[in-house]
Amino acid sequence: MSARISFLKNPDPCNHLSGYKLRYGTDGYKSFQNLFRCFNDGRIKIKLQEIELPRCSYCSVYQRRLYICLICRLISCSSHILLHTQLNKGHDIAIDVERSELYCCACIDQVYDPEFDEVVVSKQLTELGMSVKSGDDVVPVRSNKKRRLDSQMILGSKFLVSPRDRREKWSFPLGLRGLNNLGSTCFMNAVLQALVHAPPLRNFWLSGQHNHNLCSRRTMGLLCLPCDLDVIFAAMFSGDRTPYSPAHLLYSWWQHSTNLATYEQQDSHEFFISLLDRIHENEGKSKCLYQDHEECQCITHKAFSGLLRSDVTCTTCGSTSTTYDPFIDISLTLDSANGFSPADCRKNTYNGWPSVNATMPTLSGCLDFFTRSEKLGPDQKLNCQSCGEKRESSKQMSIRRLPLLLCLHVKRFEHSLTRKTSRKIDSYLQYPFRLNMSPYLSSSIIGKRFGNRIFAFDGDGDDSSSSSSPSAEFEIFAVVTHSGMLESGHYVTYLRLKGLWYRCDDAWINEVEEEVVRGCECYMLFYAQERVIQKAHKELSYQVISMADAFPFADC
């Protein structure tokens, strides 16, 4: 590892992995190196030469998730991996055949080991025409011939390999780089991919506005999340395409959020909020977002901060009490009563697009629901100053000021305290790639309330008309999706770069069609103002040149 980021620390392995390495060292890892194969989509998988289709040794099923024991090389499916551990003492560590990741059968979770990661990455580099010097950075070597790609269908696969899938990863836009799963950390990788390609954040870190080499917190030996992100941005835009391991960021986040310091799967939205809060605090800005009408100037709030207006109206006299609250994202309710499941969506398509149905949930419907007038219950009566007593009231939300980056969180997880149950909503949500937020601004909402008459309400009539005001036109640049069940799901991010869509699934990245993105179970939608997108494209080229000179290749 280079001295440039020698302070990076990997998370400690579980006790079972530590015990395995004490007994066998890394010889077991190296014995699998010849079984690793780099496929056309860039994934590293285990290919047993004597077995065309690997099957579970207990049930002979090959369609489930399969694991191969590091000690005896017995193959087990996800249903029988625990049985194998119970029958064979000490056989706790296995390799995921499909993903080439370590799995602890005793912990029932993925585990991370940098030495195993080095074996996998070195195999990938070899097939990509690169070499690795022990103890040094990864360096490219000129190959005598281009990598030849198989143009035929992958045997045993249900899908054909499209020309886009066969495209070399080196032709992808700069900044596209996979992130290794460090043990159920897909929730973190999904959010990081979105933040790395968020224009204001990308420009902030690539322009050196927070340099980890100059940070006072780092020189004092203190943890600093903005420094960790500075290293990640440098690595992502270094030009290196091999998967990167954000281990130090995970470690730092654990120190700041001790209640979440576990290898268990976490929620991407919770991680997003927590990470932005920690960045805000580590930058040494005011803990209060709005203090004496002064906005926080940290990069978190410059990019994501907006302002909500809440009007509580007395139903007796009509007087209104108005309050303003800052926000960095908006959580939207997804009504699943008449919704389509992803399976229904795939069945009801026309030319790849979901068929139009009146009952299909839409993003505009969710925003209408968020800004509707809602009658408050009897236990929420307004202390009306005009009436001099508590009265029944109604409440209506609207957006006073839009942020540069708009994060919309779709509430797919429901938790009932009375029933003590939890469930995931799998309904399909139709959302646009270009979003006009004008109907949800305070000026529009209040105008409708008064019959579209023009009034001045605390300046709300001017929040979108001024040429210097933020634009209400947004373009999508990232979609975080969740697939699977509540307890055992998986997060994937889709990025829109230069008009094309890319699927970021932990360490693997491939280009996909637009219809694939529209048919996914969206969980977090990231939009940017149109002018922000246009400005970012102009600035990025200059910043990338300087970053490439400073960091030719980042540590993996």
Side-chain angles (χ1 to χ4, degrees):
M1 182 177 292
S2 70
R4 185 177 65 249
I5 53 174
S6 59
F7 57 83
L8 291 184
K9 179 179 178 180
N10 293 307
D12 296 330
C14 70
N15 295 331
H16 309 96
L17 179 58
S18 299
Y20 169 84
K21 294 183 69 176
L22 283 175
R23 294 192 302 270
Y24 303 101
T26 59
D27 293 339
Y29 298 165
K30 296 176 182 177
S31 66
F32 276 84
Q33 190 165 21
N34 292 331
L35 300 181
F36 292 132
R37 292 290 182 272
C38 184
F39 286 79
N40 291 343
D41 58 0
R43 292 175 182 257
I44 294 291
K45 305 178 185 179
I46 291 180
K47 177 66 174 177
L48 300 176
Q49 298 177 358
E50 67 275 10
I51 304 176
E52 184 175 355
L53 288 176
R55 299 174 182 268
C56 174
S57 301
Y58 295 93
C59 62
S60 299
V61 172
Y62 66 88
Q63 293 180 339
R64 295 177 183 169
R65 197 96 170 245
L66 297 177
Y67 303 88
I68 182 169
C69 179
L70 262 176
I71 297 178
C72 65
R73 296 200 178 187
L74 194 74
I75 299 177
S76 307
C77 67
S78 54
S79 301
H80 294 102
I81 187 67
L82 185 59
L83 175 63
H84 175 69
T85 303
Q86 294 171 346
L87 296 177
N88 301 273
K89 186 177 180 180
H91 292 216
D92 300 320
I93 307 300
I95 302 178
D96 190 322
V97 173
E98 183 72 14
R99 303 173 70 92
S100 293
E101 296 172 352
L102 289 179
Y103 184 86
C104 179
C105 309
C107 296
I108 318 178
D109 203 351
Q110 290 173 317
V111 289
Y112 176 74
D113 183 14
E115 291 181 293
F116 176 80
D117 188 44
E118 183 179 349
V119 173
V120 177
V121 171
S122 63
K123 180 67 175 182
Q124 188 177 39
L125 293 177
T126 301
E127 298 203 14
L128 291 177
M130 304 184 70
S131 65
V132 184
K133 295 181 180 179
S134 178
D136 261 338
D137 288 344
V138 176
V139 293
V141 294
R142 186 180 301 276
S143 177
N144 293 329
K145 57 181 180 180
K146 294 183 179 180
R147 179 183 172 201
R148 189 171 62 87
L149 298 178
D150 190 0
S151 61
Q152 298 179 356
M153 182 180 66
I154 297 178
L155 295 177
S157 174
K158 294 184 294 184
F159 304 99
L160 287 171
V161 179
S162 68
R164 288 188 174 186
D165 290 333
R166 293 197 304 268
R167 225 175 65 175
E168 289 283 3
K169 291 194 299 182
W170 307 100
S171 66
F172 287 169
L174 189 63
L176 267 182
R177 185 177 184 182
L179 296 173
N180 286 318
N181 193 311
L182 308 181
S184 296
T185 57
C186 59
F187 71 93
M188 176 183 70
N189 293 343
V191 172
L192 287 179
Q193 289 287 6
L195 295 182
V196 163
H197 294 278
L201 275 66
R202 178 182 63 194
N203 295 344
F204 175 84
W205 266 282
L206 292 187
S207 61
Q209 296 185 51
H210 189 106
N211 190 321
H212 71 275
N213 290 317
L214 305 176
C215 179
S216 58
R217 291 180 60 86
R218 183 66 72 186
T219 56
M220 292 186 294
L222 301 176
L223 293 174
C224 179
L225 276 174
C227 286
D228 300 330
L229 284 170
D230 180 46
V231 174
I232 290 178
F233 272 87
M236 297 294 279
F237 285 90
S238 67
D240 191 347
R241 300 297 187 179
T242 58
Y244 178 78
S245 298
H248 194 264
L249 176 71
L250 177 64
Y251 174 78
S252 298
W253 180 66
W254 278 353
Q255 303 309 304
H256 289 285
S257 307
T258 54
N259 61 316
L260 300 175
T262 171
Y263 277 110
E264 294 179 357
Q265 180 68 273
Q266 304 293 339
D267 182 84
S268 273
H269 178 246
E270 292 181 0
F271 173 76
F272 169 74
I273 298 298
S274 174
L275 184 63
L276 294 191
D277 286 345
R278 299 292 85 79
I279 295 172
H280 168 66
E281 293 176 5
N282 276 270
E283 282 200 321
K285 307 297 182 181
S286 168
K287 294 295 187 342
C288 179
L289 177 56
Y290 288 87
Q291 187 175 16
D292 299 328
H293 303 289
E294 292 292 332
E295 299 178 13
C296 174
Q297 293 302 304
C298 75
I299 183 57
T300 289
H301 294 118
K302 278 185 177 180
F304 287 99
S305 175
L307 197 63
L308 289 175
R309 170 172 174 149
S310 174
D311 292 325
V312 180
T313 304
C314 175
T315 56
T316 302
C317 68
S319 63
T320 300
S321 172
T322 301
T323 57
Y324 296 95
D325 294 297
F327 72 90
I328 57 176
D329 74 320
I330 297 177
S331 293
L332 302 175
T333 300
L334 179 61
D335 183 12
S336 62
N338 298 315
F340 274 13
S341 67
D344 294 332
C345 172
R346 287 189 289 269
K347 292 177 183 177
N348 296 274
T349 57
Y350 177 72
N351 287 338
W353 288 66
S355 60
V356 179
N357 189 292
T359 61
M360 181 183 297
T362 62
L363 182 60
S364 60
C366 292
L367 289 168
D368 289 337
F369 187 78
F370 178 78
T371 56
R372 81 196 190 289
S373 180
E374 175 187 9
K375 187 175 181 180
L376 299 179
D379 58 333
Q380 297 175 297
K381 287 186 177 181
L382 170 70
N383 191 8
C384 182
Q385 296 182 354
S386 299
C387 298
E389 59 180 300
K390 289 189 175 182
R391 296 288 192 183
E392 291 187 352
S393 58
S394 62
K395 180 180 179 180
Q396 188 169 26
M397 303 292 294
S398 59
I399 301 175
R400 174 65 183 88
R401 181 175 60 80
L402 288 164
L404 295 178
L405 303 180
L406 179 63
C407 175
L408 300 178
H409 164 234
V410 182
K411 293 191 284 188
R412 290 191 174 274
F413 306 117
E414 286 187 348
H415 307 280
S416 176
L417 296 178
T418 56
R419 299 179 181 178
K420 296 182 179 180
T421 58
S422 300
R423 73 183 185 101
K424 182 197 171 186
I425 303 174
D426 289 321
S427 298
Y428 169 79
L429 179 68
Q430 189 178 15
Y431 57 93
F433 291 169
R434 291 172 61 89
L435 178 64
N436 183 6
M437 291 295 292
S438 296
Y440 316 108
L441 295 176
S442 298
S443 54
S444 301
I445 298 295
I446 296 172
K448 290 179 182 178
R449 191 187 307 164
F450 290 92
N452 291 323
R453 295 183 178 88
I454 300 177
F455 293 100
F457 294 94
D458 298 330
D460 283 319
D462 300 326
D463 59 0
S464 62
S465 58
S466 173
S467 59
S468 61
S469 299
S471 170
E473 298 289 338
F474 285 79
E475 286 188 17
I476 199 166
F477 69 90
V479 180
V480 174
T481 70
H482 182 274
S483 59
M485 299 180 293
L486 180 66
E487 300 83 3
S488 58
H490 184 59
Y491 292 96
V492 170
T493 295
Y494 292 90
L495 295 174
R496 191 186 191 193
L497 302 174
K498 298 181 179 180
L500 299 177
W501 283 99
Y502 299 89
R503 184 177 189 266
C504 303
D505 182 1
D506 287 335
W508 303 285
I509 295 179
N510 63 291
E511 189 177 336
V512 297
E513 299 290 343
E514 182 179 296
E515 290 77 13
V516 175
V517 185
R518 292 189 180 275
C520 67
E521 295 181 53
C522 61
Y523 183 55
M524 298 174 68
L525 301 169
F526 290 88
Y527 289 88
Q529 291 185 17
E530 281 187 341
R531 64 183 187 182
V532 172
I533 295 286
Q534 295 168 359
K535 183 180 179 182
H537 288 332
K538 296 178 181 178
E539 295 177 346
L540 181 59
S541 58
Y542 299 103
Q543 295 168 350
V544 166
I545 292 174
S546 61
M547 288 301 300
D549 294 336
F551 300 100
F553 283 94
D555 291 283
C556 183

